[in-house]
């Protein structure tokens, strides 16, 4: 008798092979048979007419703080994700000396828009070194497996101490010590090292993150730590300025160590190199023996604007400044006042001094690229669906139309502003990238951007939009599953998951593709200290199974917590098993 048998589902096994109808047997947390299974299971699930696929592996998340206090790991766990890799973009909380706790929180809050009050309240800081942080993570069971990078910001602050500031140049001894710490972290179980080199990433005090001004000598010196260990991924976000020659040093590091380097590949106003040039530069280095992999997002990385969110179009109005510090109930009373509304709409915005002033102006009045976000919102909206277009049709100003949108549902309405990956007003540029082995589907930022972005639902969006509903060119279900399971897992050496075959970890999704549907996001205030976060659920996940244990049924947590901390690369668990 098997522990679990999933009967009669349409198996999409993660390899890219054609789907087929089969049973799946699980024993001891491992898949032991796929095919016709006559033996019974202690537990059985009828998957007739449903998709049976591997659990999703999300390699770009920021649950570094949340993972220390939360077992559910929402919202990623609500969307079929069974493994996350966190510690991306050079931000995290280990290693950490006591006098740098607040600094690291401020760095995470500024870069990833995670409330600092929630981090300060939720984390116990029962670690200093990176290995001790992994030990602390292991003390909490979860619905999913977690793995992490060693983050540049924390390492640099640990070594440089009070000398850490934008433009600081580490000595050769400093670089050697940072490399030693990274090596220690990799040997303890980290899957890689991460950094950030973009002006969009700043601390809560407005300072550039440590990696932005790092030299290639520092980056390569640290990266060599992974070469000494023999595994690990170097992950980076960057503005891709041509004079930085990012692809040159990434290629050199990859060739020297034999290890992959991965970067966030986006259409971005902050990137000097357009996406097409980023991809062609990557290809040139890979043709010369490097292993560089582009992480791509499948929808516009968009700000969700709301009165209680981090930003909205009226954020810089003098009238808003009058009520910004008030409790929400009092704000809502003022917002409903017709005279106050008239002031807010008519006043000119007053912008702070900023090196991203052009971006702030688009936030405040970019009506042609702002979109109404309703319950059945299409994340690939057309130009005639913009606030500008709809305001013209309604015969009112775009500002008034936007104000009324935000006032929907008692002041909880949303406006969508895709700031990245939507230069052309569509997602057509991503079609070709879905066929490339040097690109992986990523950049969900799960756990981060709590008041502005809700892209942890990216795996669901991929299936709903790109596989099933998109008006333009779609991707096959088999390719979508492969890219979100096998490909992401293999990049990080997680060779024990992402495939439904005997001997692999029994991380499994049972999905009703016909009724798969994203719900409308909402703002919750459920983080420690009442911190806010945008959340989004989905219908259609019949069950999610982690290591052979059902963790979610129809979107509801079962209470099972089989998730562990993944330490280092993983191999297939057992040889091909008979029924």
């Amino acid at each position: 008798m098997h522990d679990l048998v999933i009967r009669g589902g349409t198996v999409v096994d993660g390899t890219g092979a054609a789907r087929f109808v089969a049973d799946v047997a699980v024993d001891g947390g491992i898949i032991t048979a796929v095919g016709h299974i006559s033996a019974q299971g202690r537990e059985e699930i009828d998957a007739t007419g449903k998709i049976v696929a591997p659990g999703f592996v999300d390699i770009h998340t920021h649950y570094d703080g949340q993972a220390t206090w939360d077992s559910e790991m929402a919202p990623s766990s609500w969307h079929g994700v069974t493994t996350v890799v966190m510690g991306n973009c050079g931000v995290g909380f280990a290693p950490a000396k006591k006098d740098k706790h607040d600094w690291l929180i401020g760095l995470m809050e500024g870069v990833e828009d995670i409330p600092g009050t929630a981090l300060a309240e939720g984390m116990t800081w029962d670690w200093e070194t990176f290995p001790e942080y992994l030990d602390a993570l292991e003390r909490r069971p979860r619905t999913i497996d977690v793995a992490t990078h060693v983050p540049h910001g924390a390492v640099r602050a640990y070594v440089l101490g009070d000398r850490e500031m934008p433009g600081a140049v580490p000595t050769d001894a400093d670089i050697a010590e940072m490399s030693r710490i990274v090596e220690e972290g990799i040997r303890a179980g980290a899957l890689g090292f991460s950094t950030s080199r973009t002006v969009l990433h700043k601390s809560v005090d407005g300072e550039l993150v440590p990696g932005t001004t790092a030299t290639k000598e520092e980056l390569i010196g640290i990266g060599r730590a992974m070469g000494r260990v023999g595994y690990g991924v170097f992950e980076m976000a960057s503005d891709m300025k041509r004079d930085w020659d990012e692809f040159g040093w990434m290629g050199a590091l990859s060739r020297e160590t034999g290890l992959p380097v991965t970067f966030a590949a986006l259409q971005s106003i902050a990137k000097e190199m357009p996406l097409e040039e980023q991809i062609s530069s990557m290809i040139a280095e890979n043709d010369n023996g490097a292993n560089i992999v582009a992480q791509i997002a499948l929808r516009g990385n968009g700000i969700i604007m709301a009165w209680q969110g981090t930003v909205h179009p009226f954020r810089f109005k003098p009238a808003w400044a009058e009520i910004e510090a008030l409790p929400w109930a009092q704000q809502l009373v003022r917002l409903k006042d017709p005279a106050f509304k008239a002031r807010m709409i008519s006043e000119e915005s007053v912008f702070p001094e900023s090196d991203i002033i052009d971006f702030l102006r688009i936030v405040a009045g970019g009506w042609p690229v702002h979109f109404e976000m309703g319950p059945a919102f299409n994340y690939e909206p057309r130009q005639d669906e913009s606030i500008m277009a709809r305001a013209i049709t309604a015969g009112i100003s775009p500002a008034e139309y936007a104000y009324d949108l935000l006032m929907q549902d008692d002041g909880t309405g949303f406006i969508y502003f895709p700031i990245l990956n939507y230069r052309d007003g569509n997602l057509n540029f991503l079609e070709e990238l879905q066929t490339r082995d040097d690109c992986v589907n990523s950049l969900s930022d799960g756990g981060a951007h709590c008041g502005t972005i809700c892209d942890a639902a990216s795996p669901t969006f991929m299936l709903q939009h790109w596989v099933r509903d998109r008006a333009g060119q779609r991707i096959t279900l088999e390719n979508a599953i492969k890219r979100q399971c096998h490909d992401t897992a293999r990049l990080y050496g997680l060779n024990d998951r992402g495939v439904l075959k005997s001997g692999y970890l029994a991380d499994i999704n049972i999905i009703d593709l016909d009724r798969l549907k994203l719900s409308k996001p909402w703002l919750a205030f459920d983080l420690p200290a009442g911190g806010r976060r945008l959340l989004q659920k989905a219908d259609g996940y019949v069950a999610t199974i982690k290591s052979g244990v059902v963790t979610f049924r129809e979107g509801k947590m079962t209470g099972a917590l089989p998730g562990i901390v993944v330490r280092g690369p993983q191999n297939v668990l057992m040889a091909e098993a008979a029924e």
Side-chain angles (χ1 to χ4, degrees):
M1 178 173 282
H2 299 290
D3 291 344
L4 170 66
V5 177
I6 302 168
R7 298 280 183 192
T10 300
V11 174
V12 182
D13 69 8
T15 67
R19 69 194 79 177
F20 57 95
V21 175
D23 307 325
V24 179
V26 175
D27 295 284
I30 302 170
I31 297 169
T32 51
V34 179
H36 173 69
I37 298 170
S38 57
Q40 297 299 301
R42 294 180 180 85
E43 180 179 3
E44 297 210 358
I45 299 175
D46 182 4
T48 304
K50 310 299 189 297
I51 301 299
V52 180
F56 300 134
V57 179
D58 189 342
I59 60 173
H60 195 108
T61 74
H62 295 278
Y63 290 106
D64 309 74
Q66 184 177 333
T68 68
W69 72 70
D70 176 44
S71 293
E72 186 172 11
M73 296 295 286
S76 288
S77 60
W78 297 344
H79 296 277
V81 173
T82 51
T83 303
V84 298
V85 180
M86 53 196 193
N88 287 276
C89 299
V91 288
F93 300 111
K97 295 177 181 176
K98 290 183 179 179
D99 63 351
K100 285 296 183 181
H101 289 180
D102 289 344
W103 187 88
L104 290 171
I105 287 174
L107 190 65
M108 182 68 79
E109 181 175 13
V111 173
E112 302 299 341
D113 190 27
I114 302 172
T117 52
L119 295 168
E121 176 79 14
M123 287 194 296
T124 58
W125 294 103
D126 51 341
W127 65 85
E128 178 175 327
T129 68
F130 194 88
E132 289 170 347
Y133 173 66
L134 293 181
D135 293 342
L137 289 174
E138 281 191 330
R139 289 192 278 273
R140 173 173 289 278
R142 298 172 192 81
T143 60
I144 65 176
D145 284 354
V146 298
T148 188
H149 301 86
V150 183
H152 195 181
V155 172
R156 214 170 192 257
Y158 194 84
V159 173
L160 269 63
D162 292 339
R163 289 181 291 137
E164 170 48 47
M165 61 185 65
V169 179
T171 65
D172 290 345
D174 292 331
I175 294 173
E177 177 62 5
M178 285 190 278
S179 188
R180 184 199 66 79
I181 289 171
V182 172
E183 180 178 348
E184 176 185 59
I186 299 293
R187 292 192 185 279
L191 296 187
F193 168 82
S194 72
T195 192
S196 173
R197 293 163 60 72
T198 169
V199 297
L200 295 179
H201 284 173
K202 297 178 180 178
S203 74
V204 72
D205 296 323
E207 290 191 346
L208 292 171
V209 299
T212 309
T213 57
T215 64
K216 67 178 182 180
E217 289 77 16
E218 176 181 346
L219 297 167
I220 291 177
I222 294 172
R224 284 173 176 152
M226 294 183 294
R228 294 193 295 272
V229 179
Y231 65 81
V233 178
F234 191 114
E235 184 273 336
M236 179 184 70
S238 172
D239 288 337
M240 296 296 178
K241 293 187 180 298
R242 292 189 178 92
D243 61 354
W244 290 355
D245 188 27
E246 301 284 53
F247 287 99
W249 71 257
M250 284 194 289
L253 176 62
S254 178
R255 284 187 291 272
E256 177 182 331
T257 63
L259 298 174
V261 179
T262 184
F263 70 100
L266 293 160
Q267 286 184 342
S268 170
I269 59 174
K271 295 187 189 298
E272 184 176 297
M273 297 174 67
L275 180 61
E276 298 82 359
E277 187 177 347
Q278 296 172 45
I279 298 299
S280 64
S281 298
M282 174 187 70
I283 292 170
E285 290 295 329
N286 288 346
D287 287 345
N288 194 29
N291 181 10
I292 304 176
V293 179
Q295 295 191 21
I296 59 174
L298 285 187
R299 72 184 186 194
N301 294 89
I303 292 176
I304 297 177
M305 298 194 282
W307 291 127
Q308 296 182 82
T310 301
V311 295
H312 54 75
F314 305 95
R315 173 70 178 76
F316 307 105
K317 300 277 193 174
W320 175 256
E322 294 175 9
I323 68 171
E324 185 174 11
L326 296 177
W328 167 241
Q330 295 180 36
Q331 286 181 339
L332 185 59
V333 170
R334 297 290 298 277
L335 290 168
K336 289 180 176 179
D337 178 8
F340 186 84
K341 172 184 176 181
R343 276 187 58 204
M344 190 94 93
I345 291 172
S346 62
E347 286 179 342
E348 294 291 327
S349 293
V350 178
F351 298 102
E353 290 188 12
S354 173
D355 55 1
I356 56 170
I357 187 64
D358 290 339
F359 166 70
L360 298 182
R361 293 184 188 280
I362 299 173
V363 168
W367 310 121
V369 291
H370 291 187
F371 300 91
E372 179 175 355
M373 195 170 196
F377 180 68
N378 173 16
Y379 282 92
E380 194 171 2
R382 303 184 311 271
Q383 189 61 48
D384 62 2
E385 297 174 301
S386 69
I387 285 179
M388 174 67 81
R390 290 189 170 178
I392 291 172
T393 300
I396 60 177
S397 72
E400 183 174 3
Y401 195 93
Y403 194 102
D404 292 342
L405 282 182
L406 295 175
M407 291 304 297
Q408 288 179 355
D409 300 322
D410 209 29
T412 62
F414 291 124
I415 292 172
Y416 178 68
F417 168 32
I419 60 172
L420 304 172
N421 270 11
Y422 217 63
R423 178 192 65 194
D424 306 322
N426 59 61
L427 299 174
N428 295 347
F429 72 98
L430 291 168
E431 294 169 357
E432 180 182 351
L433 300 183
Q434 289 301 294
T435 65
R436 299 195 61 88
D437 292 335
D438 50 14
C439 298
V440 292
N441 295 350
S442 181
L443 304 181
S444 81
D445 270 339
H449 302 292
C450 298
T452 52
I453 297 173
C454 191
D455 286 349
S458 292
T460 305
F461 171 76
M462 174 184 67
L463 296 178
Q464 179 182 327
H465 185 75
W466 278 96
V467 172
R468 193 190 66 193
D469 293 345
R470 189 168 187 255
Q473 180 178 317
R474 301 177 188 176
I475 59 178
T476 66
L477 176 62
E478 288 83 354
N479 189 36
I481 295 297
K482 176 179 180 291
R483 295 183 69 82
Q484 192 65 66
C485 301
H486 173 280
D487 293 358
T488 47
R490 294 306 172 273
L491 176 60
Y492 277 83
L494 302 178
N495 300 312
D496 62 339
R497 64 198 70 200
V499 173
L500 295 186
K501 287 186 176 182
S502 294
Y504 287 83
L505 200 62
D507 290 358
I508 304 170
N509 279 311
I510 303 173
I511 304 168
D512 187 340
L513 189 60
D514 290 338
R515 63 183 179 91
L516 190 70
K517 182 181 180 181
L518 288 167
S519 66
K520 182 180 178 181
W522 78 96
L523 267 170
F525 295 84
D526 60 351
L527 291 175
R532 71 185 170 200
R533 59 174 175 164
L534 277 161
L535 295 173
Q536 187 174 31
K537 284 200 167 187
D539 294 325
Y541 286 98
V542 177
T544 297
I545 298 161
K546 173 77 199 91
S547 297
V549 179
V550 179
T551 51
F552 289 87
R553 291 183 185 274
E554 295 293 349
K556 295 182 179 179
M557 186 176 168
T558 65
L561 301 172
I564 64 170
V565 175
V566 180
R567 291 182 183 254
Q570 304 294 306
N571 296 319
V572 176
L573 297 166
M574 59 181 286
E576 187 83 11
E579 178 185 335

